Amino acid sequence: MSLTTEPGRRSWLLRLVIAFTFAQGAVSMARPAVSYRALALGADERAIGVIAGVYALLPLFAAVPLGRRTDHGRCAPLLPVGVVLIAGGCALSGTADSLAAMAAWSGVMGLGHLSFVIGAQSIVARQSAPAEQDRNFGHFTIGASLGQLVGPIFAGALIGGPDLGATSAFALLVAAAVAAVSFTSLWRIEHPRTTTGTATPAGPRVPVGRILRTRGVPGGIFISLAVLSATDILTAYLPVVGEHRGIAPSVVGVLLSLRAAATIACRLVMTPLINWLGRAALITATCLLAAVLCAGIALPVPVWALGVILVLLGFCLGVGQPLSMTTVVQAAPADARSTALALRLTGNRLGQVAAPASAGLIAGVAGTAAPFVMLGGLLLVAAALGFRGPGGKRPERVRGTARVTTASPVPAHGSPSDNGA
């Protein structure tokens, strides 16, 4: 499954994956570090939930305007802006000395992550032929999984000892440096043919209501919301579970990385899985199994069993994100696909605001394992939507080294062609 089958054509995807790996690695390193630093500053479970929710609050209002901008303009400028905000949010979280300041800089970090992801996803949608979108989105999200793999390991290695506040602050500063490495890959990612329409007058904007009423878009948004909520609460609350069960931060980091490694493995074999089962059946089966596994985290199992649960859960959660991207892109109107992806990210951020806040409330009342039962319920609903939604047909088979086709031209405004979508 090569990412570089045609020099100058496919190398953009490899560079995008590399940049996303470092950006996501910084965020994945910072999120547990923020939780540990907040604990050192006296935060309880409810405060952890609020801080995790603020990470999504600023992006909640910025997603749709950024999506509108990329529908009729360039996407690449959003990438360096995102890196700067991620690095700044990490560094300033490490120097903050109050929970309010930590929450604010966590929001800046979230805004940077959103900017990077909207730009990157729109580039993948524009520069991938319809039959390649499942595979290319899967490869793109490998960058996220690699970052989620190494980030918690580094965080766990740096955090610990008698001074939890100092070590978590140092981890946040290191995360800022990791984010800055992304700049080394942010060159010639956006193909020139996707930007030729920047001088062409844009057509009328497709109303948001029409996009949301399109069959497949609401289901894809909710599936993405449920899967991301599961990943997000795992990252934010497994350290809390570890503290209550006496699991060391280094072991928690390894557990989170096992989950990410399983997600990478899933995305490497996604194309044959889709060809075998079809998109809808694959989403339904993995969301259903993930719901059961999330509920299993609430049980007082030994560490080795928790590791097995997280490996299986990581494999199941690896399906939802890339396939929900393809579902939304192919269902949305051709001249509003970046906006549709932004609405999907808005749904993600709604989940990241509501789910951690709800998890904090539930944890404060029913214990730290209870939020994972709530996630099980969300994933059950996602499984039902995957079963009912479009996408049951198997896509055109794509070889692991398929080319970027030029027979399906990109329209002047930069959205993918309707052919096969």
Side-chain angles (χ1 to χ4, degrees), residues 23-24 26-27 81-91 108-109 112-113 116 175-176 179:
Q24 184 64 56
V27 171
V81 170
V83 172
V84 168
L85 292 175
I86 290 170
C90 290
V108 171
M109 189 196 316
H113 188 259
F116 189 100

Side-chain angles (χ1 to χ4, degrees), residues 86-404:
I86 290 170
C90 290
L92 292 168
S93 293
T95 59
D97 57 2
S98 70
L99 295 178
M102 288 200 67
W105 296 124
S106 181
V108 171
M109 189 196 316
L111 183 60
H113 188 259
L114 175 90
S115 298
F116 189 100
V117 171
I118 285 182
Q121 287 183 5
S122 297
I123 289 172
V124 175
R126 292 180 183 189
Q127 298 184 175
S128 303
E132 296 177 325
Q133 285 175 346
D134 281 325
R135 188 204 57 223
N136 284 359
F137 276 125
H139 284 161
F140 165 69
T141 53
I142 286 175
S145 300
L146 286 170
Q148 290 166 355
L149 172 66
V150 300
I153 289 179
F154 281 116
L158 293 174
I159 300 169
D163 194 346
L164 195 62
T167 55
S168 57
F170 178 68
L172 285 164
L173 295 175
V174 173
V178 170
V181 178
S182 298
F183 283 115
T184 60
S185 294
L186 296 180
W187 52 276
R188 296 181 62 188
I189 285 178
E190 192 167 19
H191 198 278
R193 71 189 179 108
T194 66
T195 63
T196 57
T198 54
T200 302
R205 291 183 173 181
V206 179
V208 170
R210 178 186 160 197
I211 299 172
L212 290 174
R213 288 193 299 270
T214 304
R215 187 185 176 198
V217 172
I221 289 173
F222 187 88
I223 290 166
S224 180
L225 180 155
V227 171
L228 185 66
S229 294
T231 303
D232 205 53
I233 290 179
L234 270 174
T235 303
Y237 269 84
L238 203 61
V240 182
V241 172
E243 283 289 298
H244 281 260
R245 297 185 185 177
I247 303 173
S250 59
V251 177
V252 170
V254 171
L255 291 173
L256 288 172
S257 296
L258 286 174
R259 197 276 312 161
T263 297
I264 295 172
C266 168
R267 288 166 180 169
L268 289 173
V269 298
M270 187 169 294
T271 297
L273 287 175
I274 295 169
N275 289 334
W276 176 40
L277 294 174
R279 189 180 300 129
L282 185 58
I283 290 174
T284 300
T286 53
C287 285
L288 185 61
L289 182 55
V292 176
L293 292 167
C294 272
I297 296 176
L299 302 175
V301 297
V303 173
W304 68 264
L306 188 58
V308 172
I309 289 173
L310 288 170
V311 167
L312 295 174
L313 183 58
F315 192 91
C316 293
L317 294 178
V319 169
Q321 291 291 72
L323 294 196
S324 69
M325 292 178 203
T326 306
T327 298
V328 169
V329 165
Q330 295 189 356
D335 54 351
R337 285 171 174 157
S338 290
T339 302
L341 285 170
L343 287 169
R344 174 185 166 277
L345 290 171
T346 300
N348 287 353
R349 295 311 189 250
L350 277 170
Q352 286 182 302
V353 170
S358 301
L361 180 62
I362 293 170
V365 173
T368 56
F372 298 103
V373 178
M374 177 193 75
L375 288 179
L378 273 179
L379 289 165
L380 283 176
V381 176
L385 289 172
F387 180 76
R388 292 178 55 194
K393 294 181 180 179
R394 293 172 178 82
E396 176 185 339
R397 290 181 180 269
V398 179
R399 297 181 185 273
T401 57
R403 68 190 184 283
V404 173

